[in-house]
């Protein structure tokens, strides 16, 4: 956190995807006051929080598992799905059953989805691909030499609505639901334990603003979606259906059960050292 004149300016990491539009809208309309905000991809925010460049951030859920000793989960809020999410996709030239050991490209914007894909391909499709992390674009979704590519966020949502010719689309939240019967938690908000210990009032303020943004979504839905329509990438109907329906924001008991199952499978498959205990911030 930055300090000046005896005041503390908490550093908040904000995911630069449409799946958190309620919070994006709230930050643009007053909720950012008194905060130093970094807007970036989940992968970049993961690194910034790990390197102590942020105090609180939206992060990939797998990042908490890898740094649980240094982080606390903010209760009540998450980025999850109970079935099709539409914005975490495997775009494949071949049926998933035929991927085997072929090359699969992973978006460099993600972390949790990397682990999720590896779990699904291994457990549901008996595949052990040659994985490569790199930048990907919807204009060239599966470059030559690859069998499939993993997309997340707004790029994935674009491919969901405009699937490339000759490719199959696998929604990973749907695949997870079929595999486990659980919701999939892609992202959480976490605080550095050191920040939480020294600045509990600031942490409560940040949590209240984040939770308030999602709790108040129905009141601002039309205005918030209207602000992002100018780019022409998505229609109002597409975003209305996606936000608050395909995407689940409440970290309740059912969603936590899905998070625990994700960590258990990730540990069993050697993607994290062990399934972590879930430690929540007192807010």
């Amino acid at each position: 956190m930055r300090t000046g004149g005896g005041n503390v300016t908490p550093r908040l990491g904000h995911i630069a995807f449409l799946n958190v539009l309620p919070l994006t809208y709230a930050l643009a309309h007053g909720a950012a006051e008194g905060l130093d905000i970094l807007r970036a991809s989940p992968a970049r925010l993961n690194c910034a929080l790990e390197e102590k460049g942020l105090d609180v951030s939206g992060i990939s859920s797998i990042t908490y598992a890898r740094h649980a000793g240094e982080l606390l989960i903010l209760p009540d809020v998450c980025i999850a799905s109970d079935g099709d999410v539409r914005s975490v996709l495997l775009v494949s030239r071949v049926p998933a059953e035929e991927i085997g050991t072929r090359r699969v490209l992973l978006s460099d914007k993600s972390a949790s989805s990397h682990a999720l894909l590896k779990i699904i391909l291994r457990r549901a499709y008996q595949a052990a691909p040659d994985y490569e992390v790199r930048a990907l674009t919807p204009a060239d979704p599966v470059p030559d030499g690859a069998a499939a590519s993993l997309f997340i966020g707004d790029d994935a949502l674009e491919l969901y609505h405009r699937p490339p010719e000759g490719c199959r689309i696998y929604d990973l939240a749907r695949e997870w639901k079929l595999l486990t019967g659980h919701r999939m938690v892609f992202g959480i908000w976490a605080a550095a334990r050191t920040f939480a210990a020294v600045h509990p009032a600031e942490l409560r303020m940040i949590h209240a603003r984040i939770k308030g943004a999602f709790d108040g979504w129905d009141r601002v839905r039309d205005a918030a979606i209207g602000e992002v329509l100018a780019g022409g990438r998505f229609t109002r109907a597409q975003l209305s259906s996606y936000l608050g329906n395909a995407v689940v924001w409440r970290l309740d008991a059912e969603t936590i059960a899905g998070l625990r199952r994700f960590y258990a499978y990730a540990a069993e498959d050697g993607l994290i050292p062990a399934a972590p205990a879930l430690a929540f911030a007192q807010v």
Side-chain angles (χ1 to χ4, degrees), residues 91 105 136-143 148-149 151 159 164 167:
V91 182
L105 306 179
L136 296 168
T137 67
D140 185 20
V142 188
S149 299
F151 279 83
L159 290 168
C167 289

Side-chain angles (χ1 to χ4, degrees), residues 115-213:
L116 176 62
L117 178 63
K118 292 173 182 178
I119 290 168
I120 289 169
L121 287 183
R122 175 180 178 270
R123 291 172 179 263
Y125 296 102
Q126 294 72 55
D130 176 19
Y131 292 107
E132 177 188 341
V133 179
R134 58 177 286 184
L136 296 168
T137 67
D140 185 20
V142 188
D144 290 345
S149 299
L150 170 67
F151 279 83
I152 71 164
D154 302 354
D155 289 344
L157 189 60
E158 178 180 332
L159 290 168
Y160 174 87
H161 289 293
R162 291 184 285 277
E165 187 176 351
C167 289
R168 293 166 171 81
I169 300 290
Y170 295 88
D171 187 307
L172 294 196
R174 180 176 188 273
E175 294 289 323
W176 173 257
K177 183 77 172 181
L178 291 171
L179 180 66
T180 68
H182 283 285
R183 293 178 177 176
M184 176 60 204
V185 182
F186 293 100
I188 60 170
W189 276 264
R193 287 178 183 255
T194 51
F195 176 79
V198 178
H199 299 285
E202 287 80 2
L203 182 59
R204 286 194 295 272
M205 174 267 289
I206 293 170
H207 174 260
R209 292 187 188 181
I210 294 171
K211 183 175 183 296

Side-chain angles (χ1 to χ4, degrees), residues 198-282:
V198 178
H199 299 285
E202 287 80 2
L203 182 59
R204 286 194 295 272
M205 174 267 289
I206 293 170
H207 174 260
R209 292 187 188 181
I210 294 171
K211 183 175 183 296
F214 293 110
D215 287 349
W217 173 239
D218 287 344
R219 295 192 302 272
V220 302
R221 178 194 298 263
D222 288 346
I225 289 176
E227 289 193 1
V228 300
L229 287 177
R233 198 173 188 186
F234 305 104
T235 67
R236 181 178 291 274
Q238 289 168 348
L239 293 180
S240 294
S241 176
Y242 173 60
L243 296 164
N245 294 297
V247 181
V248 174
W249 294 308
R250 183 161 296 281
L251 188 60
D252 57 14
E254 185 178 355
T255 311
I256 289 171
L259 182 61
R260 292 186 189 278
R261 177 63 65 89
F262 177 52
Y263 288 155
Y265 277 9
E268 290 174 13
D269 290 2
L271 303 173
I272 54 176
L278 304 187
F280 292 89
Q282 298 301 307

